[in-house]
Amino acid sequence: MPESSPETHVVDFRAAEQLLAARDPRGAIRLLDSVISAHPENTAARLLRARAFFLAAQLRPAELEFQIVLEREPDNAFAHFALGRTLERAGQSEEALRHFRLAAALDPRPDYIEAARFAHDTGPGDGERDPGPANGDQE
């Protein structure tokens, strides 16, 4: 096995992004585990791993990762929104609504505002979409 270095961690991070885009969240998680082990302070890697956990329906690990990100960056609107989607999918609608409202207050994007307004109206399956990339770009 090749020795780990900062360069290999960057390659692993980028490969994990590609795996997530290709809908292979478990593969992305495997790559990100080593990146986060070496660089536990890397918020971008944690955010990507949280999305991968979400897409792999590993809701508790996703929730924990999003919470770590929010401890470090309490003004991260995307992390609030994605944590809201995770909690919504886990059936914790009151807590989800709180995070949707925080996301909308921090960044009045239409999807954040809609979630904050209509979180209580969502039906089963509405929370299964990938919350999307942190920068708001469409994949």
Side-chain angles (χ1 to χ4, degrees):
M1 178 146 199
E3 197 172 309
S4 242
S5 71
E7 293 80 17
T8 60
H9 296 141
V10 170
V11 169
D12 286 348
F13 179 85
R14 295 296 177 209
E17 287 180 318
Q18 294 302 313
L19 287 170
L20 198 57
R23 297 294 195 206
D24 181 3
R26 286 176 177 79
I29 291 166
R30 281 190 297 275
L31 289 175
L32 291 166
D33 285 345
S34 65
V35 173
I36 291 169
S37 290
H39 305 281
E41 75 289 349
N42 188 320
T43 304
R46 288 192 176 276
L47 203 52
L48 189 61
R49 185 165 72 169
R51 284 183 53 219
F53 280 136
F54 179 87
L55 286 173
Q58 296 179 28
L59 300 181
R60 184 65 181 145
E63 178 183 348
L64 293 172
E65 285 293 340
F66 285 128
Q67 288 173 342
I68 289 169
V69 170
L70 288 169
E71 285 172 13
R72 296 173 183 177
E73 298 179 3
D75 60 343
N76 186 319
F78 172 78
H80 279 290
F81 176 75
L83 178 56
R85 284 279 181 241
T86 303
L87 294 167
E88 177 183 63
R89 192 170 172 191
Q92 300 175 44
S93 53
E94 288 299 315
E95 186 67 11
L97 183 57
R98 182 172 93 71
H99 287 283
F100 288 145
R101 287 180 176 162
L102 284 166
L106 290 166
D107 184 358
R109 291 174 36 149
D111 50 340
Y112 295 178
I113 291 170
E114 182 180 348
R117 277 194 194 130
F118 300 108
H120 61 282
D121 294 336
T122 59
D126 286 347
E128 293 177 10
R129 297 180 307 273
D130 177 10
N135 65 4
D137 293 339
Q138 298 299 316
E139 293 182 357

